[in-house]
Amino acid sequence: MSNAEALATLLKKATRVVVFTGAGISTESGIPDFRSPGGVWSKMKPIMFQDFVASPGVRREAWTRVFNKTAGWTGAQPNAGHHAVATLANAGKVSAIITQNVDNLHQDSGAPHDKVIELHGNATYAKCLDCGQRHELDVLEMPYSRGEEIVCDHCAGLLKTATISFGQAMPEAEMTRATEESRACDLFLVLGSSLVVFPAAGLPIEAKHHGAKLVIVNRESTDMDDYADLVLNSEIGPLMSETLRVMA
């Protein structure tokens, strides 16, 4: 049995699938991952949330990275892996897409926005740290170019990209919903995560403890492979595309 056939068999049997995605699904769109050699954090030091709030100079550096696209998180196109997940979600097979990524590519691929749970936020827009109002980045580029402090036009609070920075609390509502979805599913499908960043990496175990099958698709092995019912070390886009063809 091929990898695609093995995955298709489990997907066909499942009635409520949760897909959990990490950087590995987006590297196929040209977005760098975080921790590997050549990844984002090997090229620049992460900005701590506390430093962002405390220092105008640090905030200026953070916004410079945004508008120079230094991290490379925005501007890419969804790949075959994203489109396959969207197809499964639109067909009702997938109840939730829990993602550690901040690139908006699940939404861009046509996945229902209300099924996407972003554990680490979104880099394609900004939010006010005080009132939570959303602000589009293209509107903020003008005050940045003038060297002004970038603040909310509603309450004058500090603005930051809607990502979860180091030292910033995880989004409570999203974590709660992700946990509930993980406990309710009968198949938990990991796509492109090394499963080392907690608390998000604990979700596959939550799913297993509540009776779900666990599938891990990742280029390298993970510390949770021993818990999985199926481990596939392969490229996500080609595998997911072939899986859909097998299921058709």
Side-chain angles (χ1 to χ4, degrees):
M1 183 181 293
S2 70
N3 286 348
E5 289 169 336
L7 179 53
T9 298
L10 289 173
L11 282 169
K12 282 182 178 180
K13 290 180 180 178
T15 59
R16 188 182 180 103
V17 180
V18 163
V19 176
F20 179 90
T21 64
I25 194 172
S26 292
T27 55
E28 294 176 31
S29 289
I31 292 180
D33 66 9
F34 299 91
R35 291 167 183 81
S36 67
V40 173
W41 302 141
S42 69
K43 296 177 181 177
M44 62 182 185
K45 184 180 178 181
I47 292 175
M48 299 298 292
F49 178 70
Q50 295 88 337
D51 296 334
F52 181 93
V53 172
S55 168
V58 172
R59 289 195 291 275
R60 183 71 185 176
E61 168 62 19
W63 286 112
T64 297
R65 293 182 183 184
V66 170
F67 293 118
N68 289 350
K69 295 181 168 53
T70 305
W73 288 329
T74 57
Q77 296 299 313
N79 62 57
H82 296 105
H83 288 298
V85 172
T87 297
L88 292 169
N90 283 309
K93 177 67 74 171
V94 168
S95 64
I97 304 164
I98 304 171
T99 186
Q100 297 172 293
N101 300 333
V102 298
D103 50 38
N104 205 67
L105 293 185
H106 284 301
Q107 295 92 325
D108 290 344
S109 70
H113 288 213
D114 61 351
K115 288 190 175 185
V116 181
I117 305 173
E118 295 174 318
L119 297 184
H120 296 161
N122 192 305
T124 65
Y125 60 93
K127 285 178 71 174
C128 176
L129 295 178
D130 289 342
C131 73
Q133 182 165 310
R134 173 173 171 153
H135 295 258
E136 303 308 319
L137 296 182
D138 55 359
V139 176
L140 303 179
E141 194 159 8
M142 184 61 73
Y144 165 79
S145 67
R146 294 194 295 255
E148 299 172 4
E149 180 78 87
I150 298 179
V151 296
C152 179
D153 58 11
H154 178 68
C155 75
L158 292 176
L159 299 186
K160 188 180 86 62
T161 55
T163 55
I164 304 302
S165 299
F166 284 90
Q168 189 173 3
M170 291 286 284
E172 189 171 325
E174 283 80 0
M175 275 304 302
T176 297
R177 185 179 165 209
T179 301
E180 291 171 350
E181 288 285 353
S182 300
R183 290 171 175 171
C185 73
D186 57 1
L187 176 61
F188 193 98
L189 174 58
V190 177
L191 297 177
S193 176
S194 55
L195 298 175
V196 295
V197 179
F198 286 84
L203 294 173
I205 304 304
E206 283 285 343
K208 280 289 289 184
H209 283 169
H210 285 78
K213 297 285 188 181
L214 173 60
V215 178
I216 299 176
V217 181
N218 198 51
R219 268 184 273 183
E220 290 87 33
S221 61
T222 78
D223 290 343
M224 297 194 185
D225 286 0
D226 289 343
Y227 295 97
D229 298 276
L230 178 65
V231 176
L232 303 174
N233 298 126
S234 62
E235 296 293 318
I236 295 166
L239 171 66
M240 293 302 296
S241 296
E242 180 61 23
T243 299
L244 289 186
R245 284 192 289 271
V246 173
M247 294 176 67

